[in-house]
Amino acid sequence: MAMKINSSSIEQLLREDDPLVIRKLYEQADAVRAANVGNDVHLRALLEMSNVCRRQCTYCGIAAYNAHLTRYRMSEEEIIASAHHAAQLGFHTLVLQSGEDTFYSTSMIIRIVRTIKEQTGLAITLSLGERTPEELAEWKEAGANRYLLRFETSDINLFQRIHPPAGFSSYEDYCAQLSPEDACMAHTFTTEVPRMSLLRTLRELDYEVGSGVMVGIPGQTYATLARDICTFQQLDLDMIGVGPYIPHPDTPLGKQMLAAQTSQTAKTTQAQDATSADEAPNSFTCAGVNQVPNTADMTLKVIALTRLVCPKSNIPATTALGVLGEEASRIQAFECGANVIMPNVTPLAYRSLYSIYEGKDTVSETEDMLAALTQQIINAGRTVGTTEGKSRAFAARHKE
Ligand code: SAH
């Protein structure tokens, strides 16, 4: 049974800074995790198969506008070879992730999915951005098991600011080319983040559905984040990924945040010189005092609260958490409700180019990473999953 906590009690816990209350929250989440999804940590091999993207999301380093980035696309042969490598390493799931790159046509993805399933038996998760319902149906038919599509935020205004419609660099540009009537309709009737309808389609197609949000995007308030967590429950998600927003210097949002942090630090230093600093450095406050910080600690809280409201879902300790809070935070996530991790199996030549944010480990060979991680999982008193690690939420839904 999911815990009956509502959005205002979630918001209160998000704002909580008493370490004892936070520790209790983590312990509760850990107990709910153990009771509902057991002790296994499931490993998913993450293959970042292309960094080409047609979208212009203002947070993401691989967005189309980033001219500083060398672009790559893995060939079908390279993707299949990586799948074999993942299977040899003992993975049971392969996640194929990319920018929104329509070079990979419907039929190419069908071929890739079929070949990997036939030759390796791996469960396949796709994370290829917003594709058409028809394509999603054909890929399911070809054997894909899961689809990951984070809705990023449930606040429509914030979503429009950070995630312009396909073909546009801002929501304003999109509205500017509409007729005045259509623009008016768009403003009046667009209340839901567009990715929600694709998430419903994925559910209807019987995928295991994964989604999630970034924590601490400029403009994200505690109330919004609390609603995001309630939305996870409403969508009855099979997988929920939450990671801290990491400002990327080659993106509009990242530039803005980094500049604000620099000027804040300068101000604080001046104030400290004048001996009266009561403002924390590093507080980018686009939403004023209601701005959620993009910290590892806040992300751990979100993971714990997510586990309480979605006891049977798979919840990963995300890469972004490991980057921002260092590896220790990623491992700590396993004590706060997480039960999945997605080690990167992208060939080293490409890995640094999939720079949605900076600071990812782009040098460790997968074998070495995996050995260290397995040891950490065991040290944390957990076991490494030996099955495909299907979501218990999915299994429960299918019994009904
Ligand atoms: N094109 C696919 C995959 C994107 S990468 C899609 O849009 O679904 C996967 C996730 O990385 C995104 O959904 C987003 O939540 C996260 N991400 C992107 N840029 C980020 C950043 N700067 N900091 C933290 N997370 C980021």
Side-chain angles (χ1 to χ4, degrees), residues 59-60 97-98 129 150 152 195 214 244-246 354 356-357:
Y59 51 87
C60 184
Q97 189 174 83
S98 68
R150 290 187 179 177
E152 316 294 3
R195 285 190 164 196
M214 284 175 283
Y245 163 65
I246 302 175
Y354 196 81
I356 47 181
Y357 44 77

Side-chain angles (χ1 to χ4, degrees), residues 201-216:
T201 300
L202 289 164
R203 166 53 43 75
E204 279 159 21
L205 292 169
D206 206 29
Y207 276 96
E208 282 183 65
V209 183
S211 194
V213 299
M214 284 175 283
V215 173

